[in-house]
């Protein structure tokens, strides 16, 4: 069976200092706590104005470091507002049947590490992008370029680093 002990049943060891930590352990714990306090939460969200197929405009609320526009399946163009996020944007995802091209200014997104472009449902939708801008080669930090189901894409720009 299980035996429960209460604080009265513990023997006191006079050789131990209860409630006092060794200085190096206390300093380590304090440093850990301070680091937790200094860690910022997720960045404050920003609004992006999006133009959808047919000229309809909507506003999307997104994180400036990870922009996921995949729920806007008829996005007609990347929003110009992305340019002001160039110093923060690390991940960009777009799934659209109406996005025919990436703009030349995509190369200005200097901190971009992940770029995903395609469609949501590859079985019934077609990605209309045929070519990529040469400025994509300026994205030297790009680690992932996912062009899933852009079947009409025939070549990467000559400047693209693979």
């Amino acid at each position: 069976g299980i035996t429960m002990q209460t604080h009265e049943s513990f023997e006191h060891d006079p050789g131990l200092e209860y409630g006092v930590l060794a200085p190096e352990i206390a300093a380590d714990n304090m440093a850990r706590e301070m680091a937790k306090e200094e860690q910022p939460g997720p960045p404050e969200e920003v609004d992006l104005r999006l133009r959808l197929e047919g000229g309809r405009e909507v506003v999307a609320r997104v994180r400036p470091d990870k922009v996921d526009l995949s729920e806007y399946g008829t996005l007609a163009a990347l929003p110009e507002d992305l340019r002001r996020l160039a110093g923060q944007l690390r991940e960009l995802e777009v799934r659209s049947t109406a996005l025919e091209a990436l703009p030349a200014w995509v190369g200005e997104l200097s901190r971009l590490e992940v770029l995903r472009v395609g469609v949501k449902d590859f079985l019934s939708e077609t990605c209309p992008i045929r070519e990529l801008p040469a400025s994509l080669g300026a994205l030297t930090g790009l680690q992932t370029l996912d062009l899933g189901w852009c079947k009409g894409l025939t070549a990467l720009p000559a400047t693209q680093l693979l």
Side-chain angles (χ1 to χ4, degrees):
I2 297 176
T3 305
M4 287 195 63
Q5 292 183 328
T6 62
H7 68 283
E8 292 94 21
S9 62
F10 285 104
E11 289 183 31
H12 177 70
D13 182 348
L16 293 177
E17 293 184 50
Y18 292 95
V20 178
L21 294 175
E24 62 275 358
I25 295 173
D28 187 47
N29 287 346
M30 186 184 302
R32 236 183 265 129
E33 286 302 314
M34 287 175 61
K36 282 183 194 174
E37 290 173 12
E38 292 173 11
Q39 291 176 356
E44 190 172 322
E45 292 185 334
V46 297
D47 290 337
L48 293 180
R49 290 170 291 139
L50 308 178
R51 186 173 48 85
L52 305 179
E53 192 174 47
R56 193 172 128 232
E57 289 194 5
V58 296
V59 174
R61 191 133 184 89
V62 299
R63 286 179 48 170
D65 60 336
K66 295 180 181 184
V67 174
D68 183 354
L69 301 176
S70 59
E71 70 181 82
Y72 303 97
T74 60
L75 185 69
L78 282 185
E80 282 273 334
D81 292 346
L82 283 174
R83 295 174 94 170
R84 69 185 160 124
L85 304 178
Q88 300 171 63
L89 186 59
R90 295 184 186 282
E91 296 181 26
L92 175 60
E93 181 163 352
V94 180
R95 303 286 179 198
S96 174
T97 57
L99 185 66
E100 295 182 358
L102 295 178
W105 56 258
V106 78
E108 296 173 19
L109 304 176
S110 58
R111 301 194 84 188
L112 201 62
E113 297 171 1
V114 177
L115 176 59
R116 290 187 171 91
V117 180
V119 293
K120 283 199 236 182
D121 183 1
F122 66 90
L123 294 176
S124 64
E125 299 173 336
T126 304
C127 176
I129 294 179
R130 302 270 176 256
E131 62 183 78
L132 299 173
S135 65
L136 213 56
L139 301 176
T140 56
L142 193 65
Q143 297 169 13
T144 302
L145 177 60
D146 178 354
L147 301 168
W149 308 105
C150 291
K151 297 175 188 173
L153 192 62
T154 56
L156 293 174
T159 58
Q160 179 61 43
L161 301 173
L162 296 176

